[in-house]
């Protein structure tokens, strides 16, 4: 059994081979799992960890390429490496879907215009979407706390539509992109009503 611990987001390669050991005809077969579990590093360097459990034996994998061999006689910890993972699990890793990615673009106060820094991030966003065979993009528009709910809902939607239009103009199918607004209801930085907080004037883009 493999359990997540902490804020585990790491990718795990687990190849488990069931071996059936025949007993007499009157008894069911016994399954003895065998395999290897390897904790792969996160691309952003964030720490991850998992616990591998077999019976009353546990091994915590909390470093990149930490591994555990699962056998009928128990668990053994060892240190794998990138070369071994590519050799043993390359096809399995290549067959996995691309993991979801998230981007945040910021806007000029009261407008649906990107800040200069976010204009540069748009190209990175477009490249991530383009490498996915069938992208699924959710665009969520947000505002700061200046103005009424009605005004901010509309502004958040315009900001989301600005991103959606940019993606469509670069060849992403309109049906693959959803644009919604949360207005000022979900601030990244909580403030009192009426406060102009630049970090809340944003669009969050989730790319799957």
């Amino acid at each position: 059994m493999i359990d997540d611990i902490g804020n585990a987001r790491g990718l795990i390669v687990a190849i488990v081979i069931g071996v059936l050991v025949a007993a007499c005809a009157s008894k069911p077969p016994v399954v003895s799992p065998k395999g290897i579990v390897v904790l792969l590093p996160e691309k952003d360097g964030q720490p991850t960890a998992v616990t591998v459990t077999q019976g009353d034996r546990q091994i915590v994998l909390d470093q990149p390429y930490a591994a555990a061999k699962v056998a009928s006689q128990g668990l053994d910890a060892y240190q794998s490496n990138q070369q071994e993972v590519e050799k043993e699990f390359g096809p399995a890793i290549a067959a996995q879907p691309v993991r979801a990615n998230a981007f945040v673009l910021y806007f000029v106060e009261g407008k649906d215009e990107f800040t200069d820094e976010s204009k540069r991030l748009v190209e990175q966003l477009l490249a991530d979407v383009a490498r996915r065979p069938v992208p699924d993009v959710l665009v969520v528009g947000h505002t700061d706390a200046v103005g009424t709910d009605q005004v901010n809902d509309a502004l958040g939607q315009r900001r989301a539509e600005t991103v959606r239009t940019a993606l469509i103009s670069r060849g992403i199918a309109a049906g693959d992109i959803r644009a919604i607004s949360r207005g000022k209801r979900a601030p990244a930085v909580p403030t009192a009503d009426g406060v102009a907080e630049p970090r809340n004037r944003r669009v969050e883009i989730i790319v799957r």
Side-chain angles (χ1 to χ4, degrees), residues 82-96:
Q82 183 178 353
Q83 291 73 26
E84 179 185 60
V85 168
E86 291 177 352
K87 179 181 178 181
E88 298 295 331
F89 310 118
I93 294 174
Q96 294 183 99

Side-chain angles (χ1 to χ4, degrees), residues 38-59:
V38 182
L39 181 66
L40 301 187
E42 280 288 338
K43 291 183 179 180
D44 59 7
Q46 290 292 320
T48 59
V50 295
T51 299
V52 183
T53 303
Q54 185 181 45
D56 59 358
R57 168 89 161 125
Q58 289 188 341
I59 293 178

Side-chain angles (χ1 to χ4, degrees), residues 147-169:
T148 65
D149 287 345
Q150 183 177 8
V151 168
N152 282 300
D153 285 346
L155 178 57
Q157 189 65 42
R158 290 202 306 274
R159 287 172 173 170
E161 293 294 344
T162 295
V163 174
R164 185 174 185 271
T165 299
L167 293 172
I168 293 172
S169 70

Side-chain angles (χ1 to χ4, degrees), residues 105-139:
L105 302 177
Y106 295 96
F107 288 80
V108 176
E109 183 175 2
K111 299 182 179 179
D112 55 5
E113 176 186 341
F114 295 129
T115 63
D116 290 340
E117 182 179 356
S118 289
K119 288 177 183 177
R120 294 189 288 270
L121 186 60
V122 169
E123 293 303 318
Q124 181 180 340
L125 164 63
L126 293 172
D128 186 276
V129 175
R131 71 190 178 94
R132 298 171 187 267
V134 184
D136 177 19
V137 185
L138 175 62
V139 184

